[in-house]
């Protein structure tokens, strides 16, 4: 019923007359605001949590990003940031339904899952998506094995929520009502997936742990093309944690310049650099951000708790 079709009621005034002689129009409530497209960062580190005085501003939790899109909750990766997100969700005191997408299952993407309290609560529902690993293990099998003794005291079966596992493959597309999620293979060694989420003409690309030897890689350029937001790896070497020479190389500007060049070439509207090296303290990340923004003003570095609200609809 439109506001012009709203029912007519008499006034409550003591001098009121009949509705036929002097009607009072009560308009129907204004339509609710359209559902948001919001991105929140719960964990922004790579490899291993790095809590310290030197990382307080950017945060020390490992990868976890939440999207609230079209009235749905999408979660990308389950690093230790997922535990903090879980504490937040429990406070809502209502049944929770969410879709949890794994890029791959290195420790920094799964180590928060056993500590995700909402998964232990009956009445909640979580749809869990992931591609097969190099040994063909499913996402369910890998999460299950992580929680077996002697690695962890509580098995996956103790999670009383409704866990629905979905095996997906690179190149597949998932439709959650009017939200479309496309996938691409980013790393042939880790089998890491990238995700492109589109709703109401707004697109977010989540691409991390990429193995892009060619900064002009045509597959990825097409995948990221014209995105409203690109969440992109800061491109430190995977072997940096045990090789001092490689660790020093992560402080070389060339490690992020290729990412910036790709974002500019793909014409993304804004980029957030993510998956920070655990040895990179706040002051050094400030320095990187300043240098990046001198080249590409629409870029910034991810911080725990940062929220971005994206424009939707006709633009």
């Amino acid at each position: 019923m439109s506001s012009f079709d709203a029912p007519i009621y008499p006034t409550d005034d003591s001098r009121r007359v009949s509705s036929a002689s002097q009607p009072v129009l009560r308009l129907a409530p204004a339509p609710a605001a359209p559902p948001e497209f919001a991105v929140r960062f719960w964990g922004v580190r790579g490899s291993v949590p790095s809590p310290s005085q030197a990382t307080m501003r950017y945060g020390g939790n490992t990868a976890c990003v939440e999207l609230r899109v079209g009235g749905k909750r999408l979660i990308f990766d389950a690093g230790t940031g997922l535990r903090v997100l879980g504490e937040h969700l429990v406070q809502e005191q209502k049944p929770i339904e969410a879709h949890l997408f794994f890029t791959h299952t290195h420790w920094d993407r799964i180590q928060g899952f056993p500590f995700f309290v909402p998964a232990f609560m009956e009445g909640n529902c979580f749809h869990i998506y992931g591609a097969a690993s190099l040994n063909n293990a499913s996402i369910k099998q890998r999460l299950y094995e992580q929680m077996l003794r002697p690695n962890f005291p509580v098995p996956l079966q103790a999670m009383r929520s409704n866990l629905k596992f979905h095996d997906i493959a690179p190149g597949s597309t998932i439709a959650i009502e009017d939200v479309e999620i496309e996938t691409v293979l980013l790393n042939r060694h880790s089998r890491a997936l990238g995700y492109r989420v589109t709703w109401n003409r707004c697109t977010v690309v989540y691409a991390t742990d990429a193995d892009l030897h060619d900064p002009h890689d045509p597959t990825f350029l097409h995948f990221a093309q014209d995105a409203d937001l690109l969440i992109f790896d800061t491109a430190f070497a995977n072997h940096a944690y045990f090789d001092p020479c490689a660790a020093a190389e992560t402080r070389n500007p060339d490690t992020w310049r290729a990412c910036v060049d790709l974002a500019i070439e793909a014409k993304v509207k804004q980029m957030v650099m993510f998956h920070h090296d655990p040895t990179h303290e706040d002051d050094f990340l400030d320095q990187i951000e300043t240098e990046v923004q001198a080249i590409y003003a629409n870029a910034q570095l991810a911080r725990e708790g940062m929220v971005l609200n994206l424009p939707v609809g006709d633009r």
Side-chain angles (χ1 to χ4, degrees), residues 16-51:
R16 67 182 167 212
V17 295
S18 70
S19 60
S21 61
Q22 190 171 344
V24 174
L25 182 65
R26 290 186 177 176
L27 298 179
E36 62 183 347
F37 199 145
V39 181
R40 182 164 182 172
F41 294 83
W42 295 94
V44 301
R45 292 282 166 177
S47 295
V48 65
S50 54

Side-chain angles (χ1 to χ4, degrees), residues 13 26 29 34 49 109 158 203 235 238 252 257 293 295 300:
D13 190 272
R26 290 186 177 176
R109 310 310 170 115
T203 295
N238 285 336
N252 186 325
R257 279 183 180 145
Q293 290 178 343
I295 299 172
Q300 60 183 309

